[in-house]
Amino acid sequence: MNSVFPYMRNLRPGCRIVVLSGAGVSQESGLATFRDNNGLWEEHDVYEVATPEAWSRNPELVQRFYNARRKQLLEVFPNDAHKYLAKLEEVFEVVVVTQNVDDLHERGGSSNVVHLHGELRKSRSTLDESLVYDVDGWEITMEERCEKGSVLRPHVVWFGEMVPMIEEAASIVQSADLLLVVGTSLSVYPAAGLLHEASSDVPVILIDPGELNTSGLRNVHHIREKATVGVKNLVLKMLEYQKDS
Ligand code: OAD
């Protein structure tokens, strides 16, 4: 952990920290990651439940699958990783760009969260994608309709769909003074490409117990810890360092 200090030398109160998070940050809250379970996501092949083709083929199955994810989300809680990331806001300007569709960053106290892959607790019209609604409880039924009369789908990005927030996320990363990457395998694009949007002199700290491909990145420090431990230790050090300097 001491070796992260050189990365903090230029950090001052008010500096902009951009957090890029993935499924690993929510793993210790009890939500499964995507690639740690023989390629299955909660016992399903992702192409069976998370593609536009899956929705065309069997919308009931897809709706049921996401209803179950939503139900599970309502039963879990933010962990120390979410909470300590929120604590960074005491000193820094923090933006969390997450690939996660859960709302655990918000419930952990983060006030500025951009969801790249959508939000599980929202539904969207299948006719007009600008019509987005909060889901009351865990279930979207096939009988519910948007105000234009069409079926509602989960407000998430499926494989093969555009990522509407990617440009906003890229400009957020470009403005970072420090990039903190937590719990993502960096294997899904365009999200993984965001790391290359940071200027080359910006420090990048990765917290993930797995092996990650960081080729092409300079100034990278990989903390091989689970999110709760790695984030907590790092954030406490960062806050302490600001007090002492
Ligand atoms: P992955 O499942 O690909 O990667 C999870 C990462 O979390 C891996 O690098 C693990 O080593 C790490 N990990 C596991 N447990 C951890 C823990 N307790 N603390 C910290 N890290 C841990 O998930 P993502 O990279 O988020 O997209 O996947 C990206 C996208 O692929 C998802 O947003 C989703 C998926 O398909 C869509 O649904 C469009």
Side-chain angles (χ1 to χ4, degrees):
M1 186 62 76
N2 282 342
S3 53
V4 297
F5 280 114
Y7 292 84
M8 297 183 198
R9 205 174 292 137
N10 298 323
L11 279 186
R12 296 282 172 270
C15 273
R16 180 172 257 221
I17 300 192
V18 175
V19 178
L20 186 60
S21 73
V25 78
S26 298
Q27 189 264 341
E28 290 163 273
S29 289
L31 300 180
T33 59
F34 297 90
R35 289 172 185 77
D36 294 324
N37 308 291
N38 307 320
L40 294 181
W41 182 24
E42 297 287 356
E43 293 162 27
H44 286 267
D45 180 330
V46 289
Y47 294 99
E48 201 187 294
V49 288
T51 59
E53 294 75 24
W55 176 259
S56 305
R57 207 166 41 235
N58 192 343
E60 288 82 8
L61 171 77
V62 174
Q63 197 78 279
R64 244 192 341 268
F65 176 79
Y66 280 96
N67 281 342
R69 305 281 67 73
R70 201 174 298 108
K71 191 169 190 193
Q72 181 185 32
L73 176 56
L74 295 179
E75 289 160 3
V76 302
F77 297 93
N79 63 48
D80 272 355
H82 302 105
K83 291 179 195 167
Y84 277 89
L85 288 170
K87 240 176 132 45
L88 281 174
E89 293 184 16
E90 291 172 10
V91 174
F92 303 105
E93 192 197 318
V94 183
V95 189
V96 178
V97 176
T98 187
Q99 295 164 84
N100 299 343
V101 296
D102 67 53
D103 61 349
L104 294 177
H105 281 300
E106 288 92 335
R107 282 157 60 193
S110 285
S111 55
N112 197 356
V113 184
V114 172
H115 286 271
L116 266 185
H117 294 159
E119 293 174 72
L120 191 52
R121 294 187 67 183
K122 293 188 175 166
S123 64
R124 183 165 92 224
S125 163
T126 45
L127 186 69
D128 176 349
E129 62 184 24
S130 71
L131 298 176
V132 174
Y133 307 93
D134 288 332
V135 179
D136 190 16
W138 60 271
E139 194 177 21
I140 306 175
T141 67
M142 296 308 289
E143 287 69 45
E144 283 172 72
R145 296 287 179 269
C146 74
E147 63 224 56
K148 293 188 177 170
S150 81
V151 172
L152 295 177
R153 60 166 272 183
H155 180 49
V156 299
V157 173
W158 287 325
F159 287 96
E161 290 188 320
M162 302 280 286
V163 179
M165 298 301 283
I166 196 70
E167 279 179 22
E168 184 180 334
S171 78
I172 291 168
V173 174
Q174 286 157 12
S175 70
D177 296 306
L178 175 88
L179 194 56
L180 186 51
V181 182
V182 188
T184 170
S185 61
L186 298 174
S187 56
V188 171
Y189 283 80
L194 285 173
L195 266 73
H196 300 276
E197 295 289 342
S199 358
S200 57
D201 56 338
V202 164
V204 179
I205 300 180
L206 310 176
I207 300 177
D208 193 301
E211 285 301 319
L212 299 174
N213 178 1
T214 57
S215 55
L217 290 173
R218 292 197 314 152
N219 248 342
V220 186
H221 180 75
H222 186 173
I223 299 169
R224 285 187 174 75
E225 303 251 34
K226 286 191 162 195
T228 54
V229 174
V231 170
K232 180 176 175 183
N233 289 342
L234 178 70
V235 168
L236 288 176
K237 290 257 188 273
M238 287 172 77
L239 297 178
E240 208 174 284
Y241 187 85
Q242 291 301 316
K243 252 196 261 154
D244 297 345
S245 60

